[in-house]
Amino acid sequence: MGEQRNSFLDQVKSQIKSKEAQEFVSIELHQHLNEVKNYWLQKGISADEAEEKAVSQMGNPINIGRKLNHIHRPKIDWMTLILFMSALLLGFLPLLSQGYMNSNHFSTYKVAFVILGVVLAFVMMFIDYRKFANKGWLFYLLGSLLLLMMYYFSNTLSEGVPMLRIGPITIESLMAIPFFFLAWSGFFQSKKFRIWQFIILFLFSSCLFLISASITSLFIYVVMTFTMIWWSKFNRKTIAIVLGAIFTLAVTWGVIVWMNVAYYQRYRILSFINPYDSEYLTSKFGLLKIHHLFMDAGWVGKHSFVDQFIPQAHTNFVFLSFTYYYGWLFAAILFLVLSLVAFRIIFIAQKLNDMYSRLLLVGVIMIYTIQLVGHVGMIIGLFPMTNMSLPFISYGLMPILLNAFLIGIVLSIYRRKNLLSANTLHSNKQ
């Protein structure tokens, strides 16, 4: 009678196009058939008769397959895709305002960066992200190796931060974050992972970010990790104690590092704390200068940079240059579009019960939001000056690839959100 069951399942699966949905349906129907079979066994009939009755009660396999194909077919999150493409297109406006689009160098590379970002997001959407769940150690190793390469083999510097230049591509420590993001997602959903392992691995990886001299990447990494562990399986009282101890250690270390920090890094902090100090008032481009330009933009902008020079106008100060040229109204629209991306991810996360999927989305939300709030907050005077990129808007390959990867993870989760219960059932069965 096993042949009868297999024949029934094969006919059902023949109507389902998605291989992932086929696996889901197979597990689901096997469980249902076993429940019905056990019911008839309790009635006192033989196993063969119980199996036959269970299969016959299911109904027509072709009709069942067609209905299940409609229910469980992969979904495309059109809302996230529209917001993603809108943000990428808005990223061309700063180049247009500054005349960079007349330069073959900037325009060609910007188009290439955007195309690569779109390709990466779509590739990630079609990859089954659940296959990453048990590869936490692999991703942690890759992230660590990348940071070690940045330290030992860097061949260029940007504001004192070591980077690895390979032809036209510059790799920075920011690109290690996706690996650690996947690593912690896998660790925190594992029943075998312990808090002492977290402490050792976190401190080691944080030291690697420190030696790479990128305070911005370290900040993103720390906030991302702390937020993800807070939403993990660990007891929150234990988490609070551990994070408190790590914070105390970090403050102590920070005091020591402050005595030897580079001048430009100390300048950014001090100018934020006391912007009216005479040293910072005479600075060519301090926080007061940024605030003045931002407030001088008005609702419609200046539409010209003839009288003003904004350094790094297409990267670190892209929101300022965008606002100064197009005005507060267009800046508000830009911020709204970028904020809607974060709200959309939060909305999707609230609909999920799967631990691994939620951890991934929590990490995505934090990495993305830190960049958005950090960059805009710096321009409006809430945070000190940093080299925080504005998602999808700042010029550069690495920031676009990072955020495209995050969007790809979101699309991948949404595409399989109707299959998550099968994954949980399969895990419990094993």
Side-chain angles (χ1 to χ4, degrees):
M1 288 299 170
E3 294 182 1
Q4 185 178 2
R5 176 184 290 215
N6 291 334
S7 175
F8 173 81
L9 293 175
D10 288 341
Q11 291 183 69
V12 172
K13 290 190 291 184
S14 68
Q15 302 300 314
I16 301 174
K17 297 179 181 180
S18 169
K19 292 183 178 180
E20 296 173 48
Q22 288 177 7
E23 181 182 358
F24 174 95
V25 168
S26 179
I27 296 172
E28 193 176 53
L29 291 180
H30 266 298
Q31 184 190 43
H32 185 67
L33 286 168
N34 289 335
E35 291 174 352
V36 178
K37 180 179 179 179
N38 289 333
Y39 169 80
W40 287 112
L41 286 173
Q42 292 174 2
K43 294 293 185 180
I45 66 176
S46 67
D48 289 347
E49 290 178 324
E51 177 81 8
E52 184 177 358
K53 282 183 174 292
V55 173
S56 62
Q57 285 183 358
M58 294 297 295
N60 188 304
I62 302 299
N63 292 336
I64 293 174
R66 289 172 179 172
K67 291 179 180 179
L68 292 176
N69 178 62
H70 177 73
I71 294 172
H72 298 302
R73 69 177 185 271
K75 310 292 184 181
I76 297 179
D77 185 4
W78 293 107
M79 179 61 71
T80 299
L81 272 178
I82 291 172
L83 291 172
F84 171 54
M85 298 304 297
S86 299
L88 287 175
L89 292 176
L90 286 171
F92 285 98
L93 290 180
L95 297 185
L96 288 171
S97 66
Q98 298 153 38
Y100 286 123
M101 292 304 292
N102 296 326
S103 168
N104 290 332
H105 171 78
F106 279 99
S107 59
T108 302
Y109 278 109
K110 180 65 176 181
V111 172
F113 296 163
V114 168
I115 292 175
L116 288 174
V118 172
V119 171
L120 177 60
F122 274 91
V123 168
M124 292 305 304
M125 180 177 73
F126 288 104
I127 292 177
D128 187 354
Y129 69 95
R130 295 172 296 177
K131 296 179 179 179
F132 300 151
N134 298 321
K135 297 179 173 60
W137 289 104
L138 173 62
F139 290 121
Y140 185 90
L141 177 62
L142 292 174
S144 300
L145 289 176
L146 179 57
L147 290 177
L148 288 171
M149 287 176 57
M150 299 298 302
Y151 180 73
Y152 286 106
F153 302 105
S154 65
N155 51 15
T156 185
L157 292 174
S158 177
E159 295 187 350
V161 177
M163 297 183 179
L164 182 62
R165 182 181 293 276
I166 304 175
I169 299 176
T170 301
I171 302 175
E172 53 187 290
S173 59
L174 184 69
M175 297 314 294
I177 289 180
F179 293 109
F180 288 108
F181 156 67
L182 293 175
W184 290 124
S185 299
F187 289 151
F188 292 154
Q189 61 88 38
S190 174
K191 295 180 180 179
K192 298 180 180 180
F193 193 71
R194 298 291 180 263
I195 197 72
W196 63 266
Q197 293 175 299
F198 163 73
I199 296 173
I200 295 173
L201 294 176
F202 175 75
L203 292 177
F204 177 74
S205 54
S206 297
C207 288
L208 292 180
F209 274 103
L210 277 173
I211 64 175
S212 70
S214 177
I215 303 301
T216 300
S217 297
L218 176 62
F219 178 74
I220 295 175
Y221 174 66
V222 170
V223 176
M224 174 202 76
T225 306
F226 282 12
T227 307
M228 291 176 69
I229 195 174
W230 187 257
W231 290 96
S232 70
K233 63 182 180 64
F234 292 114
N235 179 273
R236 291 194 173 182
K237 183 178 180 180
T238 302
I239 295 173
I241 295 172
V242 171
L243 297 187
I246 293 176
F247 179 78
T248 303
L249 180 64
V251 171
T252 304
W253 178 258
V255 173
I256 298 173
V257 171
W258 177 258
M259 305 305 297
N260 301 296
V261 75
Y263 170 76
Y264 71 90
Q265 293 175 321
R266 186 182 299 182
Y267 171 86
R268 289 173 173 177
I269 302 298
L270 293 177
S271 64
F272 173 72
I273 296 174
N274 187 17
Y276 293 97
D277 187 280
S278 59
E279 178 182 355
Y280 311 121
L281 284 171
T282 58
S283 170
K284 292 182 179 179
F285 206 76
L287 283 176
L288 290 178
K289 181 67 172 180
I290 293 174
H291 181 71
H292 172 74
L293 291 176
F294 184 83
M295 296 305 297
D296 195 42
W299 286 105
V300 296
K302 298 298 182 180
H303 305 294
S304 174
F305 289 99
V306 175
D307 299 327
Q308 296 292 344
F309 170 73
I310 301 178
Q312 301 174 320
H314 58 300
T315 54
N316 292 345
F317 296 103
V318 68
F319 189 72
L320 175 62
S321 64
F322 184 96
T323 305
Y324 187 79
Y325 189 89
Y326 293 106
W328 298 336
L329 180 60
F330 274 90
I333 294 173
L334 173 63
F335 184 74
L336 176 62
V337 172
L338 297 178
S339 298
L340 287 176
V341 175
F343 286 122
R344 176 60 182 172
I345 301 172
I346 294 173
F347 175 80
I348 296 173
Q350 291 176 336
K351 301 292 183 179
L352 301 176
N353 295 319
D354 176 66
M355 171 64 74
Y356 182 61
S357 303
R358 293 195 69 177
L359 282 171
L360 285 172
L361 291 184
V362 167
V364 169
I365 292 168
M366 291 313 302
I367 297 172
Y368 180 85
T369 304
I370 291 170
Q371 295 177 84
L372 175 59
V373 175
H375 184 98
V376 176
M378 171 187 69
I379 300 303
I380 63 178
L382 296 178
F383 305 117
M385 289 186 290
T386 65
N387 58 347
M388 192 81 72
S389 299
L390 185 62
F392 307 118
I393 309 301
S394 293
Y395 180 86
L397 176 61
M398 295 299 111
I400 287 183
L401 290 184
L402 170 64
N403 291 288
F405 168 80
L406 298 178
I407 294 297
I409 290 291
V410 176
L411 295 174
S412 180
I413 293 174
Y414 187 90
R415 180 178 173 82
R416 295 161 181 84
K417 64 187 181 71
N418 291 339
L419 307 179
L420 293 178
S421 57
N423 187 49
T424 304
L425 174 63
H426 184 59
S427 299
N428 294 335
K429 188 176 181 181
Q430 288 181 327

